[in-house]
Amino acid sequence: MQPLRHDLDRERAHHDACRAALARMIEGVEEQVVTGEDTAASGADAEALGHHLRSRAKVFREMPPGPLFFGRLDRTDGQVHHIGRRRVAEHPAAPPLVVDWRAPVSRAYYQAGPKDPQGVERRRRFGWAPGSLGASADLTALEDEYLGETSGTAGDVSGPGASAILATEIKRPRVGPMRDIAATLQPEQDDLVRSGPATSICVQGAPGTGKTAVGLHRAAYLLYTHPRRLRRSGLLVLGPNRTFLSYIAEVLPALGETGVRQSTVQDEIARHEVRAEDGEAAARVKHDARMAEVLRRALYARVDAASAEAGDLVVPDGSYHWRVPAHELAGIVAAVRDEAPPYATGRERVRARAVRALQLRAERRAGVLGAVWTRRIERARPVTAWLDACWPKATPEEVLAEILTEPPGPTAPEGDPLLTPAERAAIRWTKPPRSYRSARWTAADLVLLDELAGLIEHPAGYAHIVVDEAQDLSPMECRAIARRAGFGSLTVLGDLAQGTTPWAARDWPAQLAHLGKPDATLVPLTTGYRVPAAVVELANRLLPELGAADWAGRSLRAGGEVTVRRVDDVVAGVAEAVRAALAEEGSVGVIAADAVVGPLRERGFPADRVTVVPASLAKGLEYDHVVVAEPAAIVAAEPRGAHRLYVALTRAVSRLALVHAEPLPAALAGALAGALAETARP
């Protein structure tokens, strides 16, 4: 034990030196902000410098407390690198005391092994006390793995099943928001994290495989390796709901990246407040991919080629009148429409070409005319009136309102044939508003308005977008994301077995096509590190029914505890299960059908340990102990209720309890028969 104690003391001393160096780094950054504000330079240069320095200072100020390193590499060439969440050095030009986990030299920490040492003699992992704020005394353990050919030791402790420190870290109780996994990334996860900025990837991840963490770490990696490209156009993280975003909010700041926009698709496209709700039939139609073509046709139906041919365009210019014949005008409109630009761009392109035709006639008589003449003719009333007639202005709200107010009846004009009469009736407003300005828009309407806005004028895009729970996106929601990533890349994260919306994806190729990245690399993650084997094996029983048997996961975490309690009163039975869970360490999540949540919350469970979650909002969350209330009610609550139950079961990190009065779903009952003794009714 003496060598271990000696090594611990040396590593603690090194951590003290790192902490002191970091304090000087922070002090130096703050001084640079003050100095930079007084720097003499042009206004633009001073503003750019000030923004850079203030942003850098903000990163240091918002860096959460914690250990400064979690690993160490001893290379065969004598170099030693401590690996942490960010670089720490005495001076910018000095060798770092801690190397950022994203630096190229750090990759060997995740990838090296006995068969491929990658120049590593020894890999050391450090064990820190749970919840450590970074005090050196909290360094309580270390673990060495010798990889060099001359070391004489080739024990592979690279996986969590072999490394006690890794296993402890992964099993640590889930209390509070999601943590980063920079210390525990596995080789297959690291490969995904370090994918290049131009590469779009789709991660089909079984529960507990770390797909969300992989996506967030890839975002941090891209911001580190390509800062200018990513900062210029931005990086966006899209989650399924705000609860989920709150849960993951601290991961990127812990990795040294602040200021990243984290949002939902609904928030990104919110042109208006949602003030109405669609029925299921209407929502299905509005989210269908066919609506993209319906909207495009409705928008471009406003282009009136007949108006272009109705007469010549005559524009007075002093004592002259310049004339463009109708057939030439019609050709301009037809040519621009064939080019299929955004609608607003097309309108201005038609204007510019009509004015150019006028200019060519004027210059034959008056010589070269400048920009002032061109701008005056562009604003001339005859030009604007002609343009409004053949290519009128349009707003998304106007166009959608026209579609939704299509009058019913056999004498009404025929709607778009892409939709059946029943589908057109489903989306029709039963009480049309007086004008689109007073319309009560639904969530699905906002998706359609965004599609129209994109047809009228392309939105600004992001350099990279991380899309979590992508299997639940509708084709029209996917198109909204595709417009914002037209010139960027995507990290698509999801699990087909967890698809719970009526339009959830059945396969990834179709979903990736809707996202505008049909050539994205599909990578399955099937090895789980979070959910224990007993829970995974139970949940996997549902996969054949879900049509996702090909994506079954396996767990490297042996054990896990599954209990079943049949009761007469589900609320009382859940309360008993919660009391049993509170006797153990860790967080407790109670997951129930939405209709059952209210009575459970009234039980007054300790808010600091117990969270009662509707099954509809459980996706992406995790708890040490999960109590699933009335599984049959979760299944019966919606058409894809079995998928929702699969999500609920796989939120458990250590223990899972099923509490039911109604018979269990057949797939679970068959798995549990003879394997678990049900608790007798009280």
Side-chain angles (χ1 to χ4, degrees):
M1 294 300 293
Q2 189 61 34
L4 176 60
R5 171 57 58 185
H6 178 69
D7 283 351
L8 276 175
D9 289 342
R10 291 183 60 183
E11 297 293 1
R12 288 167 177 162
H14 182 73
H15 193 266
D16 286 335
C18 294
R19 179 65 64 191
L22 179 61
R24 289 190 290 272
M25 288 173 65
I26 295 173
E27 182 180 353
V29 169
E30 297 290 355
E31 290 178 357
Q32 287 175 1
V33 172
V34 175
T35 304
E37 289 176 346
D38 297 331
T39 299
S42 69
D45 290 343
E47 183 177 350
L49 175 62
H51 175 75
H52 170 73
L53 293 175
R54 287 191 298 273
S55 297
R56 191 159 176 258
K58 182 174 182 288
V59 169
F60 277 98
R61 285 195 301 269
E62 295 183 0
M63 186 171 58
L68 297 182
F69 54 77
F70 51 77
R72 167 176 152 173
L73 288 178
D74 293 15
R75 303 187 63 87
T76 54
D77 59 7
Q79 296 185 64
V80 175
H81 304 293
H82 283 76
I83 313 298
R85 289 168 178 81
R86 66 169 302 112
R87 184 180 188 273
V88 178
E90 293 281 1
H91 185 273
L97 299 174
V98 178
V99 178
D100 194 298
W101 67 277
R102 297 166 288 187
V105 71
S106 300
R107 185 165 197 185
Y109 181 77
Y110 302 105
Q111 296 286 345
K115 295 181 180 179
D116 182 19
Q118 301 185 15
V120 175
E121 178 73 22
R122 176 175 65 177
R123 172 168 46 209
R124 171 170 286 180
R125 293 184 173 86
F126 297 102
W128 293 84
S132 173
L133 299 180
S136 297
D138 292 339
L139 177 56
T140 58
L142 56 84
E143 185 179 73
D144 288 339
E145 174 188 4
Y146 290 91
L147 305 177
E149 295 179 355
T150 61
S151 67
T153 303
D156 183 6
V157 292
S158 60
S163 167
I165 287 179
L166 275 184
T168 300
E169 174 64 21
I170 290 172
K171 294 178 182 178
R172 186 148 54 97
R174 265 57 176 177
V175 178
M178 183 179 180
R179 307 189 301 264
D180 72 87
I181 61 167
T184 60
L185 276 173
Q186 296 302 295
E188 69 275 15
Q189 296 172 326
D190 182 68
D191 286 336
L192 294 170
V193 166
R194 295 177 192 268
S195 302
T199 302
S200 291
I201 61 173
C202 174
V203 181
Q204 157 60 44
T209 55
K211 57 183 177 294
T212 297
V214 164
L216 294 173
H217 285 66
R218 187 185 185 204
Y221 174 78
L222 292 175
L223 289 166
Y224 174 83
T225 53
H226 300 84
R228 291 187 179 181
R229 177 174 180 173
L230 271 294
R231 297 293 182 191
R232 182 172 60 250
S233 298
L235 188 146
L236 173 66
V237 176
L238 290 175
N241 52 61
R242 292 178 183 175
T243 301
F244 177 81
L245 293 176
S246 175
Y247 177 62
I248 68 171
E250 295 187 16
V251 174
L252 286 173
L255 297 172
E257 301 298 343
T258 60
V260 176
R261 180 167 174 77
Q262 299 187 33
S263 183
T264 66
V265 175
Q266 290 72 27
D267 288 340
E268 284 295 298
I269 66 175
R271 295 173 60 92
H272 302 279
E273 180 184 356
V274 175
R275 301 174 57 202
E277 186 174 346
D278 281 311
E280 182 179 343
R284 282 181 177 273
V285 176
K286 291 179 180 180
H287 280 284
D288 192 284
R290 292 172 296 161
M291 284 302 299
E293 181 61 15
V294 170
L295 296 174
R296 190 195 68 79
R297 292 182 185 182
L299 175 63
Y300 281 91
R302 302 170 76 85
V303 176
D304 188 354
S307 295
E309 298 177 353
D312 298 347
L313 172 61
V314 181
V315 179
D317 180 22
S319 60
Y320 297 102
H321 285 73
W322 310 119
R323 180 186 303 272
V324 180
H327 70 85
E328 186 175 343
L329 296 171
I332 289 173
V333 172
V336 171
R337 183 164 183 174
D338 289 344
E339 294 165 6
Y343 186 88
T345 301
R347 174 181 162 89
E348 295 310 309
R349 197 173 289 178
V350 167
R351 183 201 299 270
R353 293 184 187 179
V355 170
R356 178 59 178 164
L358 292 166
Q359 184 178 2
L360 289 174
R361 286 161 171 78
E363 287 181 342
R364 293 193 189 107
R365 179 179 293 272
V368 176
L369 300 171
V372 173
W373 184 92
T374 302
R375 288 195 294 270
R376 178 167 57 83
I377 296 300
E378 285 176 343
R379 296 192 297 269
R381 288 185 178 180
V383 173
T384 300
W386 170 79
L387 187 63
D388 287 343
C390 67
W391 201 296
K393 291 181 180 180
T395 67
E397 290 79 4
E398 284 178 304
V399 178
L400 183 57
E402 289 177 1
I403 295 173
L404 300 181
T405 54
E406 174 196 328
T411 61
E414 183 71 14
D416 195 295
L418 283 175
L419 302 181
T420 67
E423 289 172 329
R424 293 197 295 272
I427 64 174
R428 185 184 301 125
W429 276 333
T430 55
K431 294 182 178 179
R434 293 182 178 179
S435 75
Y436 71 85
R437 292 181 177 85
S438 61
R440 294 168 59 85
W441 303 108
T442 68
D445 289 336
L446 299 188
V447 180
L448 301 183
L449 290 173
D450 190 76
E451 178 78 21
L452 283 164
L455 288 170
I456 294 171
E457 189 170 2
H458 287 323
Y462 291 88
H464 190 79
I465 303 179
V466 178
V467 188
D468 209 346
E469 303 296 347
Q471 78 283 343
D472 273 339
L473 297 171
S474 73
M476 295 302 291
E477 289 172 324
C478 288
R479 290 178 61 86
I481 296 170
R483 283 189 291 277
R484 290 160 173 80
F487 299 101
S489 56
L490 295 178
T491 298
V492 180
L493 311 168
D495 179 10
L496 296 179
Q498 297 186 56
T500 53
T501 59
W503 38 78
R506 267 63 176 180
D507 64 77
W508 284 117
Q511 194 76 337
L512 292 172
H514 292 311
L515 286 165
K517 305 296 180 184
D519 298 327
T521 302
L522 176 59
V523 182
L525 287 181
T526 57
T527 302
Y529 307 97
R530 172 176 61 81
V531 185
V535 176
V536 169
E537 291 167 6
L538 177 64
N540 282 351
R541 296 280 184 161
L542 293 171
L543 292 180
E545 180 181 343
L546 308 183
D550 292 341
W551 305 111
R554 66 184 186 90
S555 178
L556 286 185
R557 290 187 57 194
E561 181 181 314
V562 177
T563 60
V564 180
R565 179 185 294 269
R566 186 160 191 175
V567 297
D568 292 322
D569 183 340
V570 169
V571 174
V574 168
E576 179 63 28
V578 168
R579 281 193 291 272
L582 289 173
E584 306 288 344
E585 186 181 13
S587 57
V588 181
V590 178
I591 303 177
D594 294 31
V596 185
V597 166
L600 289 173
R601 286 178 172 166
E602 292 174 359
R603 297 292 297 198
F605 298 126
D608 59 331
R609 293 269 318 268
V610 182
T611 305
V612 179
V613 184
S616 59
L617 296 179
K619 194 169 294 181
L621 306 180
E622 56 184 34
Y623 304 94
D624 293 286
H625 316 267
V626 167
V627 180
V628 177
E630 202 61 272
I634 295 176
V635 173
E638 54 186 304
R640 294 177 69 88
H643 294 76
R644 190 77 74 185
L645 177 59
Y646 178 82
V647 172
L649 297 177
T650 54
R651 301 308 93 200
V653 174
S654 297
R655 298 174 180 84
L656 172 66
L658 306 182
V659 179
H660 67 106
E662 300 177 20
L664 289 172
L668 297 188
L672 295 170
L676 294 172
E678 295 197 2
T679 302
R681 293 177 184 269

